[in-house]
Amino acid sequence: MGTKGGKAGKAGKGSSSGTGGAGGKRGRGAGRPGRTRRAVLLGGLGVLGVAAVAGRDELGRAWWLLPGVSKPRQDGALDHAGATWTAASPANWRLADRPADYRVDRIVVHVTQGSFESSVDAFRNPFHKASAHYIVGQDGHVEQMVRELDVAFHSGSRSMNERSVGIEHVGFVDRPRDFTDAMYGASARLAADICRRYGIPADRKHVLGHSEVPGADHTDPGPHWDWARYIRMIGEALAERAAQGVSDGSGPGRRVSGDGA
């Protein structure tokens, strides 16, 4: 979130991230009242026909637009154990089916330039046009606001949004005291969980700051974010989990809890 203009500047992320999530949801309906099953089928075949012309990759991204083939969803489902759920406005993210339609191979680190409460409120505001999958507080609390299945408008780059998970950290880029031990620990465990589920290498090529996204005009996480410590902690969390043989049975993009909406 860190920008020249602070938190308000994040509203501009949505415009270059892809069209709004609410419209995407409407696109998955079975059709207008009175449409026949044949019309629905032909419409679905039309979607696949257009995708086939565009190429195999687009075909893979379009299959879930057919009626009745989308993954079942549950309000409040979580992708990371220990997080709690608050839903971002559908205007601030786009419906998807990752990693079936878009490969997930990046994590983007952000700083909110505001409080936890103001950041949650911003992502719930449909006029904000931006969101992230997670917010990590200075006390180590993790709030999920967009499913990893879906594309959050967080980086200012449509292609980066489609391939990444966005993690916000509560604080200001010019206040190193905001980046607490509890925050680093919780965020590293979250990032390690994401890396494990999607096979993302825990290195600086694949875990990057918002300021490093091509074309970005944001400055977060800023010079006080300790990248060496963070990457080391992600690696340690991955190694600890592997040593314990811990498995929650969840594959890429699958929820680990259905509590709370």
Side-chain angles (χ1 to χ4, degrees), residues 127-244:
F127 297 103
H128 191 59
K129 303 303 181 187
S131 64
H133 294 91
Y134 296 97
I135 302 176
V136 181
Q138 293 170 4
D139 61 355
H141 173 74
V142 178
E143 194 77 9
Q144 183 168 5
M145 299 197 67
V146 178
R147 288 295 307 278
E148 291 175 16
L149 286 164
D150 299 318
V151 176
F153 301 160
H154 65 95
S155 77
S157 163
R158 179 178 182 131
S159 61
M160 182 61 71
N161 288 345
E162 289 169 346
R163 73 189 303 178
S164 67
V165 175
I167 306 176
E168 289 278 2
H169 299 82
V170 175
F172 293 84
V173 296
D174 58 351
R175 292 201 322 212
R177 66 182 181 274
D178 290 349
F179 306 140
T180 65
D181 292 343
M183 173 183 285
Y184 275 114
S187 183
R189 289 188 293 274
L190 169 60
D193 190 28
I194 296 167
C195 287
R196 177 186 60 83
R197 287 187 280 106
Y198 296 99
I200 302 173
D203 58 34
R204 287 287 285 115
K205 176 181 178 181
H206 296 87
V207 182
L208 65 156
H210 189 182
S211 60
E212 298 170 309
V213 173
D217 60 357
H218 289 230
T219 62
D220 56 318
H224 301 298
W225 183 258
D226 191 338
W227 278 110
R229 177 187 184 188
Y230 187 57
I231 296 296
R232 183 184 72 250
M233 291 178 72
I234 296 173
E236 290 170 351
L238 282 167
E240 180 180 0
R241 192 177 184 97
Q244 294 174 347

Side-chain angles (χ1 to χ4, degrees), residues 32-111:
R32 300 183 182 88
R35 290 182 68 188
T36 65
R37 292 175 60 85
R38 181 172 181 273
V40 170
L41 177 60
L42 289 176
L45 291 175
V47 169
L48 293 182
V50 171
V53 172
R56 181 172 296 181
D57 288 345
E58 290 303 318
L59 183 62
R61 294 168 186 170
W63 72 269
W64 56 268
L65 293 173
L66 286 172
V69 300
S70 60
K71 289 182 181 178
R73 290 168 181 259
Q74 179 178 349
D75 288 344
L78 298 169
D79 295 300
H80 176 66
T84 58
W85 173 262
T86 301
S89 168
N92 298 333
W93 54 273
R94 189 174 84 237
L95 196 73
D97 197 11
R98 305 188 310 171
D101 48 3
Y102 298 102
R103 179 179 62 180
V104 178
D105 63 2
R106 296 290 190 276
I107 296 172
V108 180
V109 174
H110 303 263
V111 173

